[in-house]
Amino acid sequence: MTYKFGANRQCARRVDTVLPNFLDSANEVLSDEVTTLEEHREIFPLLMGWWLFTRSTAAAMIHLYRQGFTVEVKPLARNLFAHAFAMSWLVDNGPAAVQAVHTYLGKQEQSFTNNLVEIKYPLPEPPRKVAPPVFQTLEEHRWHEKLVGEITYFANMVAAYNVPMAYPLYRMHSAYAHTSAQTANAFITVGADGRVGFTAEATEDTLTDQVYMAVSVFTAAQAIGPTIKGDPMRKPLEKAMGDLGISGDLRPRRKSCTAPRPQAGPTGDSRAVTPSA
């Protein structure tokens, strides 16, 4: 039987069954030592870390939806969506993307240190000095700065991938990750007579989020699967997607551009041990 995927109650019920089963299957095939292709060796630790975060975030969302939470889950939906997108970005851009992530991390750490120094908070140890990356050509440096801009600002990342609706969707969910009128309005009711009331449970409908969290998980799985020897997630992924009426390659693709040609590396495989669920 072929199902039609969409933001409806029937599909949401199927997601509630199919997605946990897929996550369990993915946990099983990745529960022991996995072998990543050598061409992906440098990106794999970060990629696997993001996959494990994505997996856990989806599991948390499923649990919270079952408990009746709605708007409280929106910040998790934003994280899930952004990480799935970034996993494709990481695979697309390879070691240069890893370098960009670490440069951004260094900037975040320096900014946090500056905050502590400003309030005269005693630092446990002197801030560590991080040597800036060295580039052989101006072209490589410019490419690095572009990637840093993309991992720093999600708007830049989605613009590079020509997915115009992705950033408004991200912004919409961001309102629930910060102190905002939206977080209050979810619990406020206004009657026909203008009287203001309050409800203990949010009035927002999160049906679309419930359904499309499966798309984010499947996108992330399509990003990491081919980097592992034998692509052990392929069959359970295809089954889960088919059960929900989803098909095709979900991964975003970068707009045509010229990136510095990476230097050839060794061939072969690398092994990594992943944690059990």
Side-chain angles (χ1 to χ4, degrees):
M1 180 176 182
T2 302
Y3 293 105
K4 184 176 180 180
F5 182 81
N8 56 74
R9 297 293 174 189
Q10 182 185 24
C11 190
R13 288 193 295 270
R14 291 201 304 273
V15 169
D16 186 64
T17 299
V18 172
L19 190 56
N21 289 341
F22 169 70
L23 293 175
D24 288 343
S25 298
N27 292 345
E28 184 176 348
V29 299
L30 299 179
S31 63
D32 201 353
E33 185 177 77
V34 297
T35 303
T36 180
L37 303 178
E38 182 62 29
E39 64 202 76
H40 302 298
R41 178 180 57 81
E42 291 185 56
I43 71 168
F44 195 73
L46 182 59
L47 185 65
M48 177 57 81
W50 280 352
W51 164 253
L52 294 173
F53 180 85
T54 298
R55 180 197 74 179
S56 297
T57 299
M61 291 175 65
I62 292 167
H63 174 73
L64 290 171
Y65 283 136
R66 288 175 176 176
Q67 298 301 311
F69 293 98
T70 55
V71 293
E72 301 86 353
V73 192
K74 282 186 174 291
L76 297 181
R78 182 187 76 155
N79 268 344
L80 183 71
F81 172 65
H83 276 77
F85 205 108
M87 286 176 67
S88 295
W89 171 87
L90 177 60
V91 175
D92 266 358
N93 297 289
V98 176
Q99 190 174 49
V101 170
H102 286 293
T103 294
Y104 178 44
L105 173 62
K107 291 183 177 182
Q108 289 176 304
E109 290 178 339
Q110 184 59 57
S111 177
F112 182 63
T113 297
N114 293 344
N115 293 152
L116 296 179
V117 170
E118 185 177 351
I119 62 172
K120 297 180 172 57
Y121 187 88
L123 300 178
E125 56 186 32
R128 65 187 181 95
K129 299 290 185 179
V130 179
V134 178
F135 303 98
Q136 296 181 352
T137 66
L138 180 59
E139 182 184 35
E140 288 181 353
H141 181 259
R142 287 174 175 169
W143 184 249
H144 174 73
E145 291 299 315
K146 179 174 176 58
L147 294 179
V148 170
E150 290 171 6
I151 193 59
T152 303
Y153 300 106
F154 192 62
N156 292 344
M157 184 181 292
V158 299
Y161 280 72
N162 197 27
V163 187
M165 189 56 206
Y167 188 60
L169 179 64
Y170 179 84
R171 284 290 305 274
M172 181 178 67
H173 286 75
S174 293
Y176 296 89
H178 304 286
T179 307
S180 66
Q182 288 91 328
T183 56
N185 290 340
F187 296 89
I188 297 174
T189 61
V190 180
D193 59 358
R195 294 185 64 182
V196 176
F198 303 93
T199 176
E201 296 183 359
T203 56
E204 291 282 333
D205 183 4
T206 59
L207 182 63
T208 300
D209 287 347
Q210 287 180 263
V211 170
Y212 279 88
M213 69 174 168
V215 175
S216 292
V217 171
F218 295 158
T219 301
Q222 286 184 342
I224 192 173
T227 70
I228 301 172
K229 187 175 183 180
D231 196 356
M233 297 172 65
R234 182 175 58 82
K235 288 185 178 179
L237 176 59
E238 289 178 349
K239 182 181 186 307
M241 290 177 63
D243 287 345
L244 291 178
I246 302 173
S247 61
D249 190 348
L250 305 175
R251 293 168 293 181
R253 296 298 184 184
R254 178 179 282 279
K255 290 190 294 187
S256 178
C257 64
T258 303
R261 183 182 296 275
Q263 295 183 353
T267 59
D269 304 322
S270 294
R271 298 182 183 275
V273 176
T274 56
S276 301

